[in-house]
Amino acid sequence: MAAVAASISSTGLFSPYALARPKTHNPQPHKLSNSNSKRKQPLRNPNKFKTQSNRYKSPPEPIVLSPGGEATTYTRLPPKEDFSVPFLNLSSVVKLADSALPKIQNEIPDLISEDEDEVEEEGVNGNLNLNYGELELFEDDSDSDYDEEEYESEVEEDSEVVRFKSGKGVNVKDRDGVYKGIVKEDGVSAKLYVVDDEDDGKSVNIYDTEGEFEEGEVKEKGVPAVMRCFDRAKIYVKAGDGGNGVVAFRREKYVPLGGPSGGNGGRGGNVYVEVDGSMNSLLPFRNSLHFRALKGSHGQGRSQDGAKGEDVVVKVPPGTVIRQAGKEEVLLLELLHPGQRALLLPGGRGGRGNASFRSGTNKVPRIAENGEAGPEMWLELELKLVADVGIVGAPNAGKSTLLSVISAAQPTIANYPFTTLLPNLGVVSFDYDSTMVVADLPGLLEGAHRGFGLGHEFLRHTERCSALVHVVDGSGLQPELEFDALRLELELFNPELSEKPYVVAYNKMDLPEAYEKWPSFKETLENRGIEPFCMSAVKREGTHEVICAAYELLRKSKGEKEEFEGPKDLVNLNRIAEMVNKKRSASINDFEILHDSSSNTWHVVGSGLQRFVQMTNWRYMDSEIRFQHVLEACGVNKSLIKLGVKEGDTVIIGEMEMVWRHSANISGLSNVKKDSVDSIKWPQWK
Ligand SMILES: Nc1nc2c(ncn2[C@@H]2O[C@H](COP(=O)(O)OP(=O)(O)OP(=O)(O)O)[C@@H](O)[C@H]2O)c(=O)[nH]1
Ligand SMILES: [Mg+2]
């Protein structure tokens, strides 16, 4: 400790470190590979940065709810260009029940006459590098707004390779007719054999892969962007930096030697997360994903402290789960109830002005601190619906119709699969006290557990439901098989789901084909100990019984849960902020030294020390002296010497890169002019 100040006073060098400059101030040599690359990036478009300051002033707009009386209906069709699933060619629609249909494979030879051999050779039995076998592409030609120019597929004459352009979905199915996903990205290429079917003028395309489709890829691409954003979002949050403290002295008539009067910087703004009951999806985060709280103002002369930076509040819908990006397994927060507010990131502390450094031994301190940098992080948000009962079933089974009949919700109903892309919520009220929230979920397909169709995106929503209603389309070919396939999907996705209590509702009883099959369906299920209900959702017959049975299950399961779990602990919503604060208050004495012998570099790592370096304002001479003093006091110098640091080695602490110089009398460090060091008392580092 003594030697440092001694050598400064005697030699005028900053010893043991010469060249003590922050890395960012020193553009030449000693730049290390791990130096902050962000700072080196040139501003590509400075205008962008100007507008960003307004972003956090306008938190995401809540989605306007469609009128639904007492019910909350969450139907919101995404912008047209964002999805392409609903406009399927009906002839190519796949339902769970379609597994019993004659396979499309058998139809192909009829459609292809001359090219049959070629198809057999290259297209069908060719080298398909896929796990799930051969695929078939069905172009989306039922879209009335179909724009030839927008969707250009270049067919190269000899190779028949088609390159897709984005903005148009092409549905991919395998030979069993099972829907696999959508080609939606630009430039995905596939080998197509385009064969015109003269009867209806449509074309049939048989797919041979170019290798672009990986199973995982299909899943990601298969979900239109709007749906990926509906219940998942990645956002960036940053708390405001603290304002800088300043060095100032009081100068006033008749007040000689007025003393230091530099004010402290203001604290940076905090980042909060708040549950907004009027929101129902994470779609607003599609357009705004950076949330930055404002920086605290700098201190001023006359001991004026800077103002606090403005906070930013990120509004999320109820049922949002927050994780740190890249560490998905660690759940940070779960926000369920409207009005809940969590302090996520506390703003940086304001730097102290020179008035705060005044002490009995140093009455004219020429030192002030930088404001502390506000913490920042990327967060993964995931929305899990908070519904009591989930309606599940194959596409087109009548799930939305059922919801529209039992609640005031008005979901879109239409005679094509995947009408429902976003879950709809409806409130079913029996009387004042007994209500339940029912979610109509998008149709399930075989393979949903592997992410096909709307797969994972929506099965997840059923996780929170206490009971399920299985709607079975009675007009399908084999309703029993459809039901079994659905149960299997749920089980494969999550065995816990299949253990939830459920009601089976056999729908479309008004249709003769459904009516005829009802006795055999009922018998099959009864033999397995399940009591199915029959109903006609459009005619509102039998729906009341179904929903009463679901309510009964819900009541029972809620009672059991309470008995089992007991009262829930109050959750500490400010957990993350506490973690940040704990890290901030890490002692300056806790550090580690890493040595890179190839470049003779020593890294001193410790959050307390790094924070100290970041807050040191190098413009002031006294800051550098204090810096040396702190390094000595917390034992960095001693440790380095002990580890064998050599003259000329590079030492890196946080943003600082320095060169080590032994002082002339290194061996007598602790004995030299001890008094001269202790004569200046620095305020304790906090
Ligand atoms: N005849 C008859 N048709 C019905 C009945 N229930 C629903 N439908 C029809 O079946 C079609 C599909 O109904 P939806 O309620 O949209 O089906 P869904 O299960 O929500 O379909 P997706 O959202 O696409 O998964 C519509 O044309 C309805 O009119 C019923 O009880 N009888
Ligand atoms: Mg629907």
Side-chain angles (χ1 to χ4, degrees), residues 647-659:
E647 181 87 12
D649 281 1
T650 309
V651 179
I652 293 175
I653 310 174
E655 300 257 296
M656 280 292 289
E657 185 177 318
M658 297 157 284
V659 178

Side-chain angles (χ1 to χ4, degrees), residues 93-97 391-403 413-420 440-444 469-476 479 482-483 486 505-511 514 535-538:
V93 157
V94 186
K95 291 193 291 188
L96 287 170
I391 306 179
V392 290
N396 226 22
K399 302 176 293 296
S400 306
T401 314
L402 177 63
L403 183 78
I413 297 166
N415 194 12
Y416 54 76
F418 295 118
T419 313
T420 308
D440 153 39
L441 299 161
L444 267 188
V469 174
H470 284 285
V471 177
V472 180
D473 185 352
S475 64
E482 182 182 315
F483 173 69
L486 196 77
Y506 181 90
N507 192 25
K508 306 197 182 177
M509 274 294 272
D510 54 299
L511 299 176
M535 66 178 189
S536 166
V538 277

Side-chain angles (χ1 to χ4, degrees), residues 427-438:
V427 179
V428 180
S429 30
F430 295 91
D431 58 50
Y432 249 158
D433 307 327
S434 40
T435 57
M436 66 178 177
V437 181
V438 180

